[in-house]
Structure formats: C-alpha cells, structure tokens
C-alpha cells in the first residue's frame, strides 16, 4: 500500500521499490514506474499500484481418483506481475488518493484465476490415476501437470502474469482411507518388530544357555580341582605326619642319648661326691679323734680343781640367760643354815 500524506490540499505519494505506480491526470500518464515519489492533487489524479515482487499463493483443493477416492492436494504457486501496465489495464489496481488502499481486490482475482487453473489441471491428471498410484507418484505428476498447464494458459500472459514455480507439498486421502492404508504397513512393521523381539529373545535364551553351560563347566572343573586339592592336602598331611614322626624319633633318640649322658654324668658326679664326702667324713673323724685324744691328754694332766673350774665355766656357758633372780625367805634361811653348819 502506497504511503500518502496531505499538505495544504496537495497529496504526496511515496511508493515502495516493489510497487509499480501509474499516475494519470486528464487521461494522460504522468508517472509510471516502481518506487516513485511525487506530489499530486486528489481531485484530478488517478492512481494505480501494481506489486511486482514474487508472491506465494497457497492453495488446497479436493480431487477424485479413478477408483472414486477423494484426495486433498496442497500446493503453492509462486508468481509475479511481469507487465504492470497490462495487469493494470485488465485488473483494477486503482488506489484511493487519500489513503493509498486498493479500492478493489485485484490480488484475490489473481489468486482465484491461478487456483482454478491449477485445480483444473490437477483434477484432470488425478481422475485418470488410481489412489495407490497417486499416493506413490501423484505429487510429481500433479506438479508437472500444473506447471505445464499454467505455462500454456493464455489468460495469464494476457493479464501480465508470469508463473515462477509450482510446488506440491502433499497429496493425502481421507482420514478413514489413510488409516486403512496404514494398517497393512503398520501390521508389517509390527510383525517385523515382533520378529525382532522373538529373535532377540532367542538370542537371549541361547546366551543364557551358554552362560549356564559355562557355569556348569566351571563348577565341574572347580569340583575336580577341589578333589585334587583334597588329595594333595591328604598327601601333604601324610608327608607332614611322617616328617613329624621322623623328627620325633630323632628328637627321642637325642633326648634318650642326652638322658643317658646326663645319668652317666650324674652317676659319676654322685660317685665322686660320695667319695669326697667319705673322705671328708674320714678326715673329720680323724680330726675329731685327734682333738678328743688331745683333749683327754690335756685333762689327764690337769688337777681336779682346775677341771671343776672348767666344768663350771662350761656349765655356765650352757646355762640359759637369767635376767632377774627372786630369792624367797625360805630359800635364804635354808642357805644360811647350810653355810652355818659348814663352819
């Protein structure tokens, strides 16, 4: 839409680079071109704005195949207005000099023309194609047929329209038919999934069996080695017992020999000790005899008084120690009487 501003009864139009502006006044063409900017009077000016950029036209329509199945076609047509003067002469692209908006709907007319033309060619090709073939190769066939049909359509060049590209995004049957068509493929996929599951389970079972066999073989080998270990332990125990017995025998023999040697040494020492004791006893006896003889010789030569004194001395040495002596009057009287009698 053109940008129009007001200034003291005049109007100023500023167009976009993608919009072709045509300005007539009194039947004469004053301005013609894209991206123009000029002043004009609203009462005498006739303005047209024709877009010259590429435009996308999305279309969706229904068709019927040769086996009487409804399908929906989604397509997009890219077009441009290559001859703005011709398009402005065939379609109403006039704009309001005050607002710059189109007074009619020219692009809707172009869309209707392109949609009906494309639909006509698509229906023509799908009506001779079965549903299964249309779902497999219908997109390419419909796109090529629409492009060829639009290229040969005489109304489009006469209106200044050039088709740039045609794209068909989807060609789909009705939901019930689509679900019915999906069922076999879905069943096949499910069967493949089930087959893969069964194969995976079979592989798992086989692996479990192999693992169980390996465990059993390991247990058998372990039992065999345990048996060998028990035999070896028995052999080692017997060998150890024999070695202990031999060591005990050697130790017993050594102990017996040592005992014999000790007994012999003890006997020798006892004999020597007995001899030494006998010799000592004999020598002691001889010494005592000599001492007794000497004592007797001495006492034989001493007088009786001396012997009595020695006897008293010896007796006094052997008497117990007297700490205190108590003399009663009776004893003292008797002693005094005896002493008096002796006098």
């Amino acid at each position: 839409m053109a940008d129009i501003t007001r200034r003291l009864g005049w109007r100023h139009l500023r167009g976009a680079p993608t919009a072709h502006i045509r300005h007539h006044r009194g039947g004469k063409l004053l301005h013609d071109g894209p991206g123009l900017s000029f002043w004009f009077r609203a009462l005498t000016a006739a303005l047209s704005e024709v877009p010259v950029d590429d435009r996308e036209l999305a279309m969706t329509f229904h068709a019927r195949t040769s086996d009487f199945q409804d399908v929906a076609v989604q397509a997009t047509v890219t077009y441009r207005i290559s001859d703005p003067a011709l398009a402005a002469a065939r379609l109403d692209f006039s704009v309001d000099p005050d607002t710059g908006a189109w007074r009619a709907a020219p692009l809707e007319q172009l869309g209707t023309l392109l949609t009906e033309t494309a639909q006509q060619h698509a229906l023509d090709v799908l009506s001779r194609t079965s549903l299964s073939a249309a779902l497999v190769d219908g997109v390419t066939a419909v796109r090529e047929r629409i492009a060829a049909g639009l290229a040969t359509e005489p109304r489009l060049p006469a209106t200044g329209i050039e088709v740039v590209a045609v794209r068909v995004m989807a060609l789909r049957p009705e939901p019930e038919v689509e679900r019915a068509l999906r069922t076999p493929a879905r069943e096949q996929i499910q069967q493949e999934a089930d087959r893969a599951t069964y194969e995976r389970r079979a592989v798992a079972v086989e692996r479990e069996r192999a693992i169980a066999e390996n465990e059993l073989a390991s247990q058998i080998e372990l039992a065999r080695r345990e048996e060998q270990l028990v035999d070896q332990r028995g052999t080692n125990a017997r060998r150890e017992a024999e070695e202990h017995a031999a060591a005990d025998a050697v130790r017993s023999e050594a102990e017996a020999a040592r005992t014999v040697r000790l007994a012999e040494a003890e006997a020798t020492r006892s004999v020597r000790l007995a001899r030494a004791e006998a010799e000592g006893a004999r020598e002691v006896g001889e010494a005592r005899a000599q001492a007794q003889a000497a004592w007797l010789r001495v006492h034989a030569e001493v007088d009786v008084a001396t012997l009595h004194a020695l006897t008293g001395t010896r007796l006094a040495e052997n008497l117990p120690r007297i700490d205190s002596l108590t003399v009663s009057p009776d004893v003292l009287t008797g002693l005094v009487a005896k002493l008096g009698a002796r006098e």
Side-chain angles (χ1 to χ4, degrees):
M1 185 175 67
D3 184 12
I4 298 177
T5 58
R6 300 180 181 183
R7 291 293 185 275
L8 301 175
W10 288 83
R11 304 289 188 272
H12 183 270
L13 183 143
R14 182 174 58 189
T18 57
H20 189 95
I21 305 298
R22 292 174 62 84
H23 176 206
H24 291 81
R25 187 179 62 187
K28 294 181 180 181
L29 183 61
L30 300 180
H31 299 90
D32 186 17
L36 297 180
S37 179
F38 55 87
W39 292 91
F40 66 93
R41 286 187 175 275
L43 297 177
T44 60
L47 302 175
S48 298
E49 182 182 12
V50 181
V52 294
D53 57 339
D54 291 349
R55 292 184 172 266
E56 303 286 340
L57 176 62
M59 57 184 69
T60 301
F61 53 86
H62 293 270
R64 180 168 294 183
T65 62
S66 61
D67 48 0
F68 305 103
Q69 298 296 326
D70 290 336
V71 293
V73 180
Q74 295 179 358
T76 300
V77 176
T78 303
Y79 69 96
R80 75 168 63 99
I81 300 176
S82 58
D83 192 345
L86 184 58
R90 300 295 300 271
L91 299 174
D92 186 6
F93 283 96
S94 62
V95 297
D96 189 336
D98 291 329
T99 61
W102 279 318
R103 292 177 174 176
L107 295 182
E108 294 181 4
Q109 297 178 6
L110 284 179
T112 301
L113 174 61
L114 292 172
T115 301
E116 291 179 352
T117 304
Q119 184 176 0
Q120 179 181 358
H121 293 289
L123 294 175
D124 186 32
V125 68
L126 289 175
S127 63
R128 294 193 298 270
T129 305
S130 62
L131 178 61
S132 59
L135 295 177
V136 175
D137 300 324
V139 172
T140 302
V142 171
R143 183 182 66 249
E144 293 177 353
R145 183 60 180 272
I146 291 177
L150 293 177
T152 59
E153 177 63 33
R155 293 182 58 188
L156 297 180
T159 313
I161 305 301
E162 178 185 356
V163 177
V164 178
V166 176
R167 298 186 303 276
V168 177
M169 279 72 71
L171 196 153
R172 302 183 61 178
E174 294 181 347
E176 294 81 3
V177 178
E178 187 174 5
R179 284 194 296 269
L181 293 175
R182 289 179 179 177
T183 301
R186 188 174 300 170
E187 292 293 335
Q188 184 178 0
I189 294 173
Q190 186 64 39
Q191 291 176 3
E192 294 294 334
D194 294 340
R195 185 180 300 108
T197 302
Y198 296 149
E199 291 178 355
R200 185 169 59 254
R201 290 180 180 176
V203 171
V205 170
E206 183 64 24
R207 290 180 179 176
E208 290 178 358
R209 184 184 63 80
I211 292 173
E213 291 180 355
N214 292 334
E215 291 179 352
L216 182 60
S218 300
Q219 293 177 0
I220 294 173
E221 181 65 20
L222 182 61
R224 185 178 64 80
R225 293 188 178 182
E226 288 180 354
E227 183 179 0
Q228 293 179 355
L229 180 60
V230 171
D231 294 340
Q232 186 64 36
R233 285 179 178 175
T235 303
N236 295 338
R238 288 193 298 273
R239 185 178 301 171
E240 185 178 359
E242 292 175 357
E243 291 179 356
H244 283 315
D248 292 339
V250 172
R251 187 165 51 253
S252 299
E253 292 178 358
E255 185 69 23
R258 188 175 67 83
T259 302
V260 171
R261 288 194 300 271
L262 290 176
E264 292 177 352
E266 184 66 23
T268 303
R269 188 176 65 82
S270 297
V271 171
R272 291 178 180 177
L273 181 60
R275 289 178 181 178
E277 289 179 355
E279 185 68 21
R282 184 180 62 79
E283 292 178 357
V284 169
E286 290 178 356
R288 287 181 179 177
Q290 292 177 1
Q292 187 69 26
W295 186 78
L296 290 176
R297 281 194 304 272
V298 171
H299 283 75
E301 295 176 358
V302 178
D303 57 358
V304 175
T306 302
L307 292 175
H308 286 170
L310 291 173
T311 301
T313 302
R314 180 66 57 84
L315 180 63
E317 291 177 356
N318 294 326
L319 288 177
R321 181 180 178 180
I322 299 173
D323 294 332
S324 62
L325 179 63
T326 303
V327 179
S328 63
D330 295 337
V331 175
L332 184 59
T333 301
L335 289 175
V336 171
K338 288 182 180 181
L339 290 174
R342 288 181 178 181
E343 291 176 359

